[in-house]
Amino acid sequence: MVRCPLHEDNTPSCSIHLEKGLWRCHSCGGGGSSYDLIMRKENVDFLGARAFAASLNIPAGSAGGGGELVSGSAYGGRRKVAGRKGAQPGAGGYVPAWRRR
């Protein structure tokens, strides 16, 4: 989450999906591609946004960083859910509250 560059923002309300190149401000409702953000911020058309992005000298495919891929989650994967004691394999480990007694 970052502060939206399109309006005054006291708290970070804009999320950016680096792999997809998309952004969404949960405060003003704006969103789109990186070119959409440049077009709105710099008040230019698509060709102007493309030229502006090219002037930044950011390698294609990197998210503004050193080209390394960064996971979107600190967790990095799903953990295995432990099953109940005595349950058959593949029977699942979650029991809904209404079923517990």
Side-chain angles (χ1 to χ4, degrees):
M1 297 293 280
V2 296
R3 291 186 174 142
C4 182
L6 302 176
H7 60 85
E8 279 296 316
D9 206 359
N10 294 330
T11 58
S13 62
C14 184
S15 57
I16 301 174
H17 194 291
L18 299 176
E19 289 83 19
K20 292 183 179 179
L22 300 175
W23 64 279
R24 176 81 176 158
C25 179
H26 303 282
S27 180
C28 71
S33 70
S34 55
Y35 292 117
D36 292 324
L37 180 61
I38 294 171
M39 288 189 298
R40 289 183 64 181
K41 178 68 177 163
E42 301 297 323
N43 198 21
V44 294
D45 62 353
F46 177 75
L47 294 177
R50 204 170 106 184
F52 180 84
S55 73
L56 296 176
N57 292 326
I58 298 174
S62 76
E68 70 277 357
L69 294 176
V70 179
S71 171
S73 168
Y75 185 65
R78 293 177 56 99
R79 64 183 170 93
K80 192 168 181 100
V81 178
R84 296 184 320 258
K85 287 186 179 180
Q88 296 177 2
Y94 176 74
V95 178
W98 60 270
R99 186 65 71 113
R100 298 181 207 145
R101 294 190 191 234

